[in-house]
Amino acid sequence: IYCGYCPQGHAIASGLKNQHGGDFWVINVHAGGFAAPGGGDPDYRTSFGTAIDNQADPCGYPAGDVNRRVFAGLQQTGQNGCVANTAMSRGDWGNAVGQVLADSSYVNVAVEAQVDEQSRELRVITQYYYTATAGVSTNKLNIALLQNNIEGPQSGSTGNPSNVLPNGNYNHQHMLRHLITGQWGQDITNTAMGSTATDTFY
């Protein structure tokens, strides 16, 4: 919320979403020093987001990573010889997304979410089917719970004017709230062609 260039990062990520549709998902993580609230501002941090931020090891903000993967030559750099792990500067996100979308896809995944309004319980049903054998013995299934339309403060909001509300507050989108399958996802250990399974998460 105190990162002056983060709204520009939000606009870039939303542009990639518009460009790639259902092949690309945005998860906005509030972490690091600029996310620590002061003066009664809201705290949008999560333990999951902090762990992702620590793993990405950015040299500055905004930073982003794609599939928690290292893209050689695209890692963010900074002062004092800082070289990030998976974190990249906003100008490199599109390059990384293009590389991932060029990879072969060997598994189809379907997801359905159901909300019981009385119990306030969320049930997520997933099904996967391998159309070819994966090149690795284990894949990870990650399910993230995001929230849109959260009104709050944001420095540099003019960098993304479409998210500025009439009262001057910022309309936060794609905010990470929870990782339903845990920090690093659920293991899928049968990655051979024809492998399939259906799971339910609460």
Side-chain angles (χ1 to χ4, degrees), residues 30 41 50 52 75 77 117 136 138 146 154 162-163 184 188 194-195 200:
H30 290 254
D41 283 337
T50 298
I52 290 170
Q75 294 119 304
T77 58
E117 293 185 10
V136 293
T138 302
L146 311 180
Q154 178 62 59
S162 64
N163 280 37
W184 306 112
I188 298 175
S195 173
T200 302

Side-chain angles (χ1 to χ4, degrees), residues 55-167:
Q55 182 262 332
D57 195 22
C59 297
Y61 298 93
D65 79 15
V66 177
N67 291 3
R68 306 184 204 186
R69 191 168 126 186
V70 174
F71 292 85
L74 298 183
Q75 294 119 304
Q76 191 179 51
T77 58
Q79 296 177 349
N80 302 320
C82 177
V83 178
N85 183 25
T86 60
M88 295 172 285
S89 296
R90 57 194 182 279
D92 293 317
W93 299 346
N95 184 337
V97 169
Q99 291 184 48
V100 170
L101 292 179
D103 289 345
S104 297
S105 177
Y106 45 75
V107 61
N108 293 332
V109 180
V111 181
E112 180 180 291
Q114 302 168 344
V115 177
D116 185 321
E117 293 185 10
Q118 288 187 340
S119 66
R120 297 179 57 83
E121 183 175 73
L122 170 68
R123 181 170 72 164
V124 180
I125 303 166
T126 65
Q127 183 179 55
Y128 63 81
Y129 176 78
Y130 280 80
T131 58
T133 298
V136 293
S137 60
T138 302
N139 285 145
K140 297 280 191 177
L141 175 66
N142 288 273
I143 303 173
L145 178 63
L146 311 180
Q147 188 174 3
N148 288 330
N149 301 314
I150 300 172
E151 181 179 345
Q154 178 62 59
S155 296
S157 59
T158 55
N160 188 14
S162 64
N163 280 37
V164 179
L165 298 169
N167 64 6

Side-chain angles (χ1 to χ4, degrees), residues 179-194:
L179 293 179
I180 294 172
T181 46
Q183 188 67 50
W184 306 112
Q186 175 178 277
D187 287 346
I188 298 175
T189 55
N190 186 354
T191 60
M193 184 172 66

